[in-house]
Amino acid sequence: MPKIVIYSFLLFFLFVSCKKQPQAPAYQSVQSMVVDSAAVVSPHPLASEIGIEILRKGGNAVDAAVAVQFALAVVYPRAGNIGGGGFMVIRDQDGSTTSLDYREKAPQSAHRNLYLDSLENVIKGLSTEGVLAAGVPGTVAGLLDAHQKHGKLKDVAALIEPAILLAKNGFKISEAEARRLNRFQDAFRKHNNTPNPFIKDTFIIGDLLVQEELAHTLNLIKEKGKAGFYEGVVADAIVAEMKNSNGIISKSDLQKYETQWRTPISVDYKNYRIFSMPPPSSGGLALGQLLKIVEGFPISDYGFHSQEAIHLMVEAERRVYADRATYLGDPDFYTVPVDSLLSSDYLTESMSTYTPEQASVSDSIDTGSLLIKESFETTHTSIVDSDGNAVSVTTTLNSNYGCKVWVDGAGFFLNNEMDDFSVKPGIPNQFGLVGAEANAIQAEKRMLSSMTPTIIEKDGELFMVLGAPGGSTIITAVFQVFLNVAEFGMPLDKAVTAPRFHHQWLPDEIIIEKGGIPESTQQQLLEMGHNIRAIERMAVIKAIQRLPDGSLHGAGDFRNPDDDVSGW
Ligand code: GLY
């Protein structure tokens, strides 16, 4: 072969290999770390770093949380957002607690049959993809309200500026982000007619993701506050997307959006006090019920992942998730019987059919009728600052990249949170039970959630901050990680990485993480009448534990390779 041909081949291979050679981004995740004073655990190292920078500049945990959330809207576009919503639980250093609900709302023209055809059958995909799936976004209002009421740094611009720079200058994407972006290319092309930074033949690790339109939107928020998002050109761009397709969010929906400060659910478990998100999230209430149920059993004697412990926890979950499907919805529209559901009389009655030997049957649990089907794609951040203020915040677009519609000219994905409503309520199940009226679609109502941002005290002192993405498995993951520490004596990182299991009443099965429960224990559970199904992974916890000497142990979760702990 002539030399010139050989050289050409060599040059060609050199070119191809250079071009395709993955370039690792200049950041690395640390998934477990003990620090002296302050810690941020978020789903992305660049966001954690920004949180820590804000703390170093004298900001408190709320300031850091706001900055981290704006940064996640840039570096974690599949769930970090300004086009979605979330919940924040705050515990001040003086022990006072509050929670902020910035969940999306149904547009004013939404109604209970929005996703049904003329025969009242669900139209597939309508509540999950495309603009009709989007609720009115709450994130921008939520972050600005949190800062205004509980932030320490006066100037909110300082909290948005780092995100603007990341969007304008770009950042190198991680391998996990590249994989996800590639997975959703077809959906992005289907729902977007114009080019955008997320549409590309193939993404690889180290690709620079520049988001100029998002930088511009963030800049408007920096300059004009809420009006930079809910009015003016950004509102125009959202409404234009609605008009391009079958969407219903109007300018008036955007202008009317308001957050709600709510009293957290507070539940005592032995010498711990748990503060978590009240309705319209089911998270805090369900977690409280689960803990109150198992409190009366010697669960630490049963042992971690023993058949006795798993059976007890699963039977509690079966009953609590049945309650969730029936009684829980937006408290501004439906009276959620919070106190009754947490009362010991009610929980004792609920467990009266429990036996340690035999699985119950979900169909015999006397309550509502709908399945839980939230997406696994949400995101959580836990923060403790050097004064001991703590923030636990979970945000979501619902599915990965929400409804897949990227707002042209404004640079962000819209959520598909409308799918968290009961799309077809009031239909009796096989026993004639009618469930989920509490979560039926109504104009301006908030859809039920499983997000469980949680802060825990031990003997009156800050003990743990935790939460997770993971749809309906969030609640049971928070439940298990807390018990792993409090009852099974695990260090936090082991408690977080330990395999998990989950029961949500219907379908009547325990789902377990593949290989996570010993075969012999599974066999015992099957013999008791349980059904078991293995899946890849469940919720992805991000937690901070305050150790007895006052230091902080931050733990991310291997289930998201980008989870990161930063601190000092
Ligand atoms: N969209 C997930 C949740 O709110 O639980």
Side-chain angles (χ1 to χ4, degrees):
M1 199 183 296
K3 263 191 184 158
I4 182 78
V5 177
I6 296 173
Y7 284 140
S8 302
F9 267 121
L10 279 176
L11 272 173
F12 175 73
F13 281 121
L14 196 64
F15 172 74
V16 169
S17 58
C18 281
K19 199 165 175 242
K20 287 277 169 202
Q21 192 65 42
Q23 275 182 296
Y27 53 80
Q28 241 190 341
S29 295
V30 174
Q31 298 208 319
S32 173
M33 181 160 68
V34 177
V35 292
D36 290 338
S37 303
V40 176
V41 188
S42 93
H44 200 287
L46 292 173
S48 296
E49 190 50 40
I50 284 170
I52 283 298
E53 272 306 302
I54 295 295
L55 295 180
R56 281 193 198 284
K57 286 179 180 154
N60 66 11
V62 173
D63 293 320
V66 170
V68 167
Q69 297 310 303
F70 278 118
L72 288 173
V74 181
V75 299
Y76 202 71
R78 63 184 185 256
N81 70 79
I82 55 172
F87 297 118
M88 186 182 290
V89 176
I90 300 170
R91 182 184 183 276
D92 199 82
Q93 55 185 308
D94 67 7
S96 59
T97 57
T98 187
S99 69
L100 181 61
D101 169 358
Y102 53 98
R103 183 73 160 161
E104 300 91 329
K105 291 179 112 175
Q108 291 163 97
S109 55
H111 54 87
R112 61 189 284 132
N113 290 348
L114 189 60
Y115 302 107
L116 305 184
D117 64 18
S118 55
L119 299 174
E120 302 216 335
N121 293 316
V122 177
I123 304 170
K124 207 165 175 277
L126 212 54
S127 64
T128 51
E129 281 197 11
V131 282
L132 192 60
V136 183
T139 296
V140 172
L143 298 182
L144 297 180
D145 284 354
H147 170 256
Q148 193 184 31
K149 193 150 178 209
H150 289 274
K152 186 170 153 203
L153 294 181
K154 290 255 171 320
D155 186 9
V156 73
L159 311 182
I160 308 178
E161 195 62 47
I164 295 175
L165 290 178
L166 278 171
K168 199 159 101 188
N169 300 334
F171 71 100
K172 290 186 172 187
I173 62 170
S174 67
E175 193 175 357
E177 193 63 58
R179 247 185 288 123
R180 275 217 170 63
L181 285 170
N182 291 333
R183 182 139 64 84
F184 288 98
Q185 284 303 307
D186 287 350
F188 293 162
R189 284 168 212 267
K190 182 174 167 197
H191 293 286
N192 298 277
N193 300 324
T194 49
N196 75 47
F198 297 91
I199 297 180
K200 181 174 164 178
D201 286 345
T202 310
F203 282 93
I204 57 170
I205 180 178
D207 275 351
L208 191 70
L209 184 62
V210 177
Q211 302 173 72
E212 280 164 16
E213 291 88 345
L214 180 56
H216 184 241
T217 297
L218 290 169
N219 211 40
L220 287 172
I221 298 167
K222 183 182 90 171
E223 283 168 4
K224 301 183 174 180
K226 288 185 201 173
F229 183 87
Y230 293 97
E231 295 172 27
V233 294
V234 175
D236 289 347
I238 294 173
V239 172
E241 288 296 345
M242 299 294 140
K243 291 195 172 139
N244 278 345
S245 194
N246 54 349
I248 56 173
I249 296 178
S250 65
K251 284 205 182 155
S252 149
D253 285 321
L254 293 164
Q255 268 165 11
K256 277 187 82 181
Y257 183 86
E258 276 183 354
T259 63
Q260 287 285 348
W261 289 97
R262 300 192 191 273
T263 305
I265 296 283
S266 152
V267 164
D268 288 341
Y269 175 87
K270 301 184 179 174
N271 55 335
Y272 299 92
R273 179 162 290 172
I274 288 85
F275 297 98
S276 192
M277 198 65 212
S281 185
S282 60
L285 182 49
L287 176 65
Q289 287 186 294
L290 291 171
L291 289 170
K292 291 314 284 179
I293 289 174
V294 302
E295 190 179 24
F297 294 83
I299 193 163
S300 56
D301 294 347
Y302 294 164
F304 172 71
H305 278 185
S306 62
Q307 161 257 317
E308 291 92 338
I310 295 177
H311 174 62
L312 169 67
M313 290 163 75
V314 155
E315 290 301 331
E317 290 169 12
R318 184 196 306 278
R319 289 158 176 79
V320 165
Y321 276 76
D323 285 342
R324 178 199 186 282
T326 305
Y327 299 116
L328 270 66
D330 182 348
D332 296 341
F333 284 73
Y334 189 91
T335 307
V336 180
V338 173
D339 293 341
S340 303
L341 289 168
L342 283 170
S343 72
S344 52
D345 284 354
Y346 177 79
L347 295 171
T348 306
E349 170 64 24
S350 172
M351 285 298 277
S352 61
T353 49
Y354 168 78
T355 75
E357 298 83 24
Q358 184 78 35
S360 306
V361 176
S362 284
D363 285 342
S364 68
I365 303 288
D366 183 16
T367 187
S369 66
L370 291 196
L371 301 185
I372 290 163
K373 55 177 174 47
E374 290 111 299
S375 153
F376 271 35
E377 308 309 333
T378 293
T379 190
H380 181 84
T381 300
S382 293
I383 301 182
V384 178
D385 68 24
S386 55
D387 290 327
N389 301 296
V391 172
S392 189
V393 52
T394 313
T395 66
T396 186
L397 287 169
N398 200 14
S399 301
N400 272 307
Y401 312 102
C403 70
K404 315 296 186 279
V405 176
W406 183 85
V407 180
D408 197 12
F412 56 89
F413 286 101
L414 282 170
N415 67 84
N416 62 343
E417 220 69 60
M418 291 295 284
D419 194 53
D420 274 351
F421 278 117
S422 311
V423 169
K424 191 179 177 184
I427 306 299
N429 71 1
Q430 56 183 310
F431 302 102
L433 297 166
V434 180
E437 193 55 42
N439 191 32
I441 304 175
Q442 247 178 289
E444 300 191 76
K445 188 175 178 182
R446 296 171 208 260
M447 53 297 283
L448 187 61
S449 170
S450 294
M451 294 192 276
T452 316
T454 298
I455 299 180
I456 301 175
E457 291 174 354
K458 183 178 183 183
D459 300 322
E461 301 285 340
L462 177 67
F463 177 66
M464 194 182 278
V465 184
L466 77 169
S472 56
T473 69
I474 296 173
I475 301 163
T476 52
V478 171
F479 176 50
Q480 286 169 79
V481 169
F482 169 65
L483 289 181
N484 287 348
V485 174
E487 294 289 2
F488 302 126
M490 291 184 198
L492 185 66
D493 53 335
K494 298 281 178 301
V496 167
T497 53
R500 296 202 259 274
F501 57 89
H502 169 83
H503 198 298
Q504 60 179 42
W505 176 50
L506 293 174
D508 190 348
E509 62 185 12
I510 307 174
I511 55 171
I512 61 169
E513 289 182 318
K514 255 183 202 151
I517 310 278
E519 285 295 330
S520 55
T521 311
Q522 288 189 48
Q523 195 50 43
Q524 288 172 314
L525 291 163
L526 288 170
E527 282 163 15
M528 296 168 79
H530 288 287
N531 304 306
I532 297 179
R533 181 166 61 91
I535 64 167
E536 279 310 319
R537 68 167 178 91
M538 295 187 208
V540 188
I541 291 276
K542 284 152 246 314
I544 300 170
Q545 181 184 353
R546 194 164 168 276
L547 301 174
D549 66 358
S551 60
L552 302 169
H553 185 178
D557 195 328
F558 74 94
R559 294 167 180 88
N560 168 33
D562 295 337
D563 265 17
D564 178 72
V565 185
S566 293
W568 79 79

